Amino acid sequence: MPTISYFRGIKIFINWNDHMPPHFHASYAGEEIIVSINDIEILEGQIPSKQQKMVLGWAAFHQSELLENWELAAAKQELFPIAPLH
């Protein structure tokens, strides 16, 4: 599970060889959500509302980079870091 970004205690990662649809994982304080890259919506899981909003806003801003990393992960290539939320 390569970490591609980390901000405000939130770890963002994409698993190699993961299932469709394109998505990423975000974990915070022992809880995790799975977020669709195409729709920027939570597919499953739960984290606190404030952190959830930060993740969704960050994802909308970095959607194309997330899709690039998803494609790299599917090809089992090295992922690149994405700038954190400031």
Side-chain angles (χ1 to χ4, degrees):
M1 294 186 290
T3 299
I4 56 173
S5 195
Y6 185 85
F7 52 89
R8 300 180 188 175
I10 302 166
K11 177 181 166 184
I12 307 290
F13 55 98
I14 293 177
N15 296 327
W16 280 297
N17 206 23
D18 214 341
H19 58 85
M20 294 296 277
H23 64 276
F24 67 91
H25 300 251
S27 65
Y28 178 80
E31 298 181 86
E32 184 177 321
I33 55 174
I34 298 175
V35 180
S36 163
I37 296 172
N38 291 327
D39 302 325
I40 311 295
E41 65 181 22
I42 296 172
L43 298 173
E44 63 182 79
Q46 186 174 339
I47 61 175
S49 178
K50 179 179 177 181
Q51 284 73 22
Q52 182 177 303
K53 288 175 186 172
M54 282 190 262
V55 168
L56 295 177
W58 173 87
F61 189 73
H62 294 285
Q63 189 174 26
S64 62
E65 294 165 283
L66 287 163
L67 280 171
E68 285 181 59
N69 263 332
W70 173 264
E71 291 170 8
L72 289 171
K76 297 185 175 152
Q77 296 181 4
E78 187 174 340
L79 308 187
F80 60 88
I82 298 176
L85 183 68
H86 294 287

